[in-house]
Amino acid sequence: MQRKTKIVFDIIKIIVNIIMIVFAILGLINNNDNYYAWYWLLVSAMLVLEAYYLFRWTKVGEWNIDKKDSKSIRYSFDGITTGTFCTSAFLYLIVMGLELFNKSIKSNFFVIIIVSVLLTLSVLFNLLAVNTANRESKELAEKMYKYKK
């Protein structure tokens, strides 16, 4: 992914996350179903955006500078991003599944707080994983090819 595209994606993710938190707070304060609906719509959009963002960064042959260190960077990136995204998606699916039995689960104070915090942490950890993988790959390439800026 190009640097300009990455910056645009990062800004969009942060803006959507802030708007999502604002709707969560408004929904909890006003106890209005419209705010809850917008909140869960933004949670869904955030998960789709996060999946697309990670898909754009997952290029298998791109980081193979050498055999040992590139695999280490790759495994670290894959482990962090897969763990955080799958945890967030699993929690979302649990909430949607429990909604079949209890209609008020999506307006529960604790569910909204837990989903907001977990999704925000997921976004932050994925941004950190991408930045760390880029930095380590750049350092490895400079070390391998003796390139200094």
Side-chain angles (χ1 to χ4, degrees):
M1 186 181 293
Q2 294 178 349
R3 184 177 188 87
K4 188 176 182 180
T5 308
K6 181 194 177 308
I7 291 171
V8 169
F9 267 110
D10 291 347
I11 290 171
I12 290 171
K13 284 177 20 177
I14 291 170
I15 289 172
V16 170
N17 199 8
I18 289 171
I19 294 171
M20 182 189 69
I21 291 172
V22 166
F23 276 114
I25 292 170
L26 287 173
L28 292 173
I29 290 172
N30 296 331
N31 201 15
N32 188 343
D33 288 339
N34 290 332
Y35 291 132
Y36 292 133
W38 278 104
Y39 170 75
W40 287 105
L41 180 70
L42 287 170
V43 168
S44 302
M46 191 64 158
L47 285 172
V48 170
L49 185 65
E50 191 69 21
Y52 183 71
Y53 180 76
L54 293 177
F55 172 73
R56 291 288 303 252
W57 277 105
T58 306
K59 304 248 190 318
V60 176
E62 190 172 301
W63 294 341
N64 292 336
I65 297 169
D66 69 340
K67 295 288 182 193
K68 182 181 174 191
D69 292 331
S70 292
K71 283 186 179 181
S72 172
I73 294 169
R74 182 74 195 174
Y75 291 152
S76 174
F77 173 79
D78 286 343
I80 291 171
T81 56
T82 302
T84 58
F85 181 74
C86 287
T87 303
S88 298
F90 185 66
L91 179 66
Y92 177 76
L93 290 175
I94 287 174
V95 170
M96 293 301 136
L98 289 176
E99 183 194 11
L100 294 171
F101 304 109
N102 185 0
K103 296 294 183 192
S104 67
I105 192 82
K106 288 169 70 176
S107 61
N108 188 337
F109 176 79
F110 296 110
V111 170
I112 289 177
I113 296 297
I114 289 170
V115 170
S116 296
V117 168
L118 194 62
L119 198 55
T120 302
L121 287 176
S122 174
V123 168
L124 291 176
F125 279 129
N126 288 338
L127 285 173
L128 180 66
V130 167
N131 289 335
T132 302
N134 281 338
R135 187 184 69 242
E136 289 176 355
S137 295
K138 181 181 172 186
E139 290 172 358
L140 183 61
E142 287 174 354
K143 186 176 89 173
M144 288 289 295
Y145 300 115
K146 309 284 190 259
Y147 174 75
K148 298 274 179 167
K149 260 190 171 175

